[in-house]
Coordinates of all heavy atoms in Angstrom, one line a residue:
L1 N -3.2 68.5 62.4 CA -3.6 67.1 62.0 C -2.3 66.2 62.1 O -2.4 65.1 62.6 CB -4.3 67.1 60.6 CG -5.7 67.4 60.5 CD1 -6.0 67.5 59.1 CD2 -6.6 66.5 61.3
Q2 N -1.2 66.7 61.6 CA 0.0 65.9 61.5 C 0.4 65.5 63.0 O 0.8 64.5 63.4 CB 1.1 66.6 60.8 CG 2.4 65.7 60.7 CD 3.5 66.5 60.0 OE1 3.3 67.6 59.6 NE2 4.6 65.8 59.8
A3 N 0.4 66.7 63.8 CA 0.7 66.5 65.3 C -0.3 65.5 65.9 O 0.2 64.6 66.7 CB 0.7 67.8 66.1
A4 N -1.5 65.5 65.6 CA -2.5 64.6 66.2 C -2.2 63.2 65.8 O -2.3 62.2 66.5 CB -3.9 65.0 65.9
F5 N -2.0 63.0 64.5 CA -1.6 61.7 63.9 C -0.4 61.2 64.5 O -0.2 59.9 64.8 CB -1.7 61.7 62.4 CG -3.0 61.6 61.8 CD1 -3.5 62.6 61.0 CD2 -3.8 60.6 62.0 CE1 -4.7 62.5 60.4 CE2 -5.1 60.5 61.4 CZ -5.5 61.4 60.6
D6 N 0.6 62.1 64.7 CA 1.8 61.6 65.2 C 1.6 61.1 66.7 O 2.2 60.1 67.1 CB 2.9 62.6 65.2 CG 3.4 62.9 63.8 OD1 3.2 62.1 62.9 OD2 4.1 64.0 63.6
K7 N 0.8 61.8 67.5 CA 0.5 61.4 68.8 C -0.2 60.0 68.8 O 0.0 59.2 69.6 CB -0.3 62.4 69.5 CG 0.4 63.7 70.0 CD -0.6 64.5 70.8 CE 0.1 65.8 71.3 NZ -0.8 66.7 71.9
L8 N -1.2 59.9 67.9 CA -2.0 58.7 67.8 C -1.0 57.5 67.4 O -1.1 56.4 68.0 CB -3.1 58.7 66.7 CG -4.3 59.4 67.2 CD1 -5.3 59.6 66.0 CD2 -5.0 58.6 68.2
R9 N -0.2 57.8 66.5 CA 0.9 56.8 66.0 C 1.7 56.4 67.2 O 2.0 55.2 67.4 CB 1.7 57.3 64.8 CG 2.5 56.3 64.1 CD 3.2 56.7 62.9 NE 2.2 57.1 61.8 CZ 2.1 58.3 61.3 NH1 2.9 59.3 61.6 NH2 1.2 58.6 60.4
A10 N 2.2 57.3 67.9 CA 3.0 57.1 69.1 C 2.3 56.2 70.2 O 2.8 55.3 70.7 CB 3.6 58.3 69.7
A11 N 1.0 56.6 70.4 CA 0.1 55.9 71.4 C -0.1 54.5 70.9 O 0.0 53.5 71.7 CB -1.1 56.7 71.6
Y12 N -0.4 54.4 69.7 CA -0.7 53.0 69.1 C 0.6 52.3 69.1 O 0.6 51.0 69.6 CB -1.0 53.1 67.5 CG -1.2 51.8 66.9 CD1 -2.2 50.9 67.1 CD2 -0.2 51.4 66.0 CE1 -2.3 49.7 66.5 CE2 -0.2 50.1 65.4 CZ -1.3 49.3 65.7 OH -1.4 48.1 65.1
E13 N 1.8 52.8 68.8 CA 3.1 52.0 69.0 C 3.4 51.6 70.4 O 3.8 50.5 70.7 CB 4.2 52.9 68.4 CG 5.6 52.1 68.3 CD 5.5 50.9 67.5 OE1 4.7 50.9 66.5 OE2 6.2 49.9 67.8
Q14 N 3.0 52.5 71.3 CA 3.3 52.2 72.8 C 2.4 51.1 73.2 O 2.7 50.2 74.0 CB 3.0 53.5 73.6 CG 3.3 53.4 75.0 CD 3.2 54.7 75.8 OE1 2.6 55.6 75.3 NE2 3.6 54.7 77.0
E15 N 1.1 51.2 72.7 CA 0.1 50.1 73.1 C 0.5 48.8 72.5 O 0.4 47.8 73.1 CB -1.3 50.5 72.5 CG -2.3 49.5 73.0 CD -3.7 49.9 72.5 OE1 -4.0 51.1 72.4 OE2 -4.5 49.0 72.1
R16 N 1.0 48.8 71.2 CA 1.5 47.6 70.6 C 2.7 46.9 71.4 O 2.7 45.8 71.7 CB 1.8 47.9 69.2 CG 2.1 46.6 68.4 CD 2.7 46.9 67.0 NE 4.0 47.5 67.0 CZ 5.2 46.9 67.4 NH1 5.1 45.6 67.7 NH2 6.3 47.5 67.4
R17 N 3.6 47.9 71.8 CA 4.8 47.4 72.6 C 4.3 46.8 73.9 O 4.8 45.7 74.3 CB 5.8 48.4 72.8 CG 6.7 48.6 71.6 CD 7.9 49.4 72.0 NE 7.6 50.7 72.7 CZ 7.4 51.8 72.1 NH1 7.7 52.0 70.8 NH2 7.1 52.9 72.8
F18 N 3.4 47.5 74.5 CA 2.9 47.0 75.8 C 2.1 45.7 75.7 O 2.4 44.8 76.5 CB 1.9 48.1 76.4 CG 1.2 47.6 77.7 CD1 1.9 47.5 78.9 CD2 0.0 47.1 77.6 CE1 1.3 47.1 80.1 CE2 -0.8 46.6 78.8 CZ -0.1 46.6 80.0
T19 N 1.4 45.5 74.7 CA 0.6 44.3 74.3 C 1.6 43.1 74.1 O 1.5 42.1 74.7 CB -0.3 44.4 73.3 OG1 -1.2 45.5 73.5 CG2 -1.1 43.2 73.0
A20 N 2.7 43.4 73.3 CA 3.7 42.5 73.0 C 4.4 42.1 74.4 O 4.7 40.9 74.6 CB 4.6 42.9 71.9
D21 N 4.8 43.1 75.2 CA 5.5 42.8 76.3 C 4.6 42.0 77.3 O 5.1 41.1 77.9 CB 6.1 44.1 77.0 CG 7.1 44.8 76.3 OD1 7.7 44.1 75.3 OD2 7.5 45.9 76.5
A22 N 3.5 42.4 77.4 CA 2.4 41.8 78.4 C 2.3 40.4 78.0 O 2.3 39.4 78.8 CB 1.2 42.5 78.5
S23 N 2.2 40.2 76.7 CA 1.9 38.8 76.1 C 3.1 38.0 76.4 O 3.0 36.8 76.8 CB 1.6 38.9 74.6 OG 1.6 37.6 74.0
H24 N 4.3 38.6 76.2 CA 5.6 37.8 76.4 C 5.6 37.4 77.9 O 6.0 36.3 78.3 CB 6.8 38.6 76.0 CG 8.0 37.9 76.3 ND1 8.5 36.8 75.6 CD2 9.0 38.2 77.3 CE1 9.6 36.5 76.1 NE2 10.0 37.2 77.1
E25 N 5.4 38.5 78.8 CA 5.4 38.2 80.3 C 4.4 37.2 80.7 O 4.7 36.4 81.6 CB 5.3 39.6 81.0 CG 6.4 40.5 80.8 CD 7.7 40.0 81.3 OE1 7.7 39.3 82.4 OE2 8.7 40.3 80.7
L26 N 3.3 37.2 80.2 CA 2.2 36.2 80.5 C 2.5 34.8 80.0 O 2.3 33.8 80.6 CB 0.9 36.6 80.1 CG 0.2 37.8 80.8 CD1 -1.1 38.1 80.2 CD2 0.0 37.4 82.2
R27 N 3.2 34.8 78.8 CA 3.5 33.5 78.2 C 4.7 32.8 78.9 O 4.6 31.6 79.0 CB 4.0 33.8 76.7 CG 3.3 32.8 75.7 CD 3.7 33.1 74.3 NE 3.3 34.4 73.8 CZ 4.0 35.2 73.1 NH1 5.2 34.9 72.8 NH2 3.6 36.4 72.7
T28 N 5.6 33.5 79.4 CA 6.6 32.9 80.1 C 6.3 32.1 81.3 O 6.7 30.9 81.4 CB 7.8 33.9 80.4 OG1 8.2 34.6 79.3 CG2 9.0 33.4 81.1
P29 N 5.5 32.7 82.2 CA 5.1 31.9 83.4 C 4.2 30.7 82.9 O 4.2 29.6 83.5 CB 4.3 32.8 84.3 CG 4.7 34.1 83.9 CD 5.2 34.0 82.5
M30 N 3.4 30.9 82.0 CA 2.4 29.9 81.6 C 3.2 28.8 80.9 O 2.8 27.6 81.1 CB 1.5 30.5 80.5 CG 0.5 31.5 81.2 SD -1.0 31.0 81.3 CE -2.1 30.9 80.2
N31 N 4.2 29.1 80.2 CA 5.0 28.0 79.6 C 5.8 27.2 80.7 O 5.9 26.0 80.5 CB 6.1 28.6 78.6 CG 5.5 28.9 77.2 OD1 4.5 28.5 76.9 ND2 6.2 29.7 76.5
A32 N 6.2 28.0 81.6 CA 6.9 27.3 82.8 C 5.9 26.4 83.5 O 6.2 25.3 83.8 CB 7.5 28.3 83.7
A33 N 4.7 26.9 83.7 CA 3.7 26.1 84.4 C 3.3 24.9 83.5 O 3.1 23.8 84.1 CB 2.5 27.0 84.7
T34 N 3.1 25.1 82.4 CA 2.8 24.0 81.4 C 3.9 23.0 81.4 O 3.5 21.8 81.4 CB 2.5 24.5 80.0 OG1 1.5 25.6 80.0 CG2 2.1 23.5 79.1

C-alpha cells in the first residue's frame, strides 16, 4: 500500500508540475499576444 501511495503521490506531483509548466508556457505566449 505504501509503495502504491508513493507511486500515486509521485504521479500526482508529476501531473501538478506538468500542469503548472503547461499553464506557464501557455500563459507566456498569450501574455505576449495580449
Side-chain angles (χ1 to χ4, degrees):
L1 282 173
Q2 183 180 5
F5 278 120
D6 288 346
K7 281 183 182 179
L8 280 174
R9 194 174 290 122
Y12 174 75
E13 187 59 34
Q14 186 178 9
E15 183 180 326
R16 190 188 64 74
R17 274 195 314 264
F18 173 77
T19 304
D21 290 347
S23 173
H24 177 73
E25 292 297 324
L26 287 174
R27 228 181 294 134
T28 303
M30 295 252 282
N31 279 343
T34 305

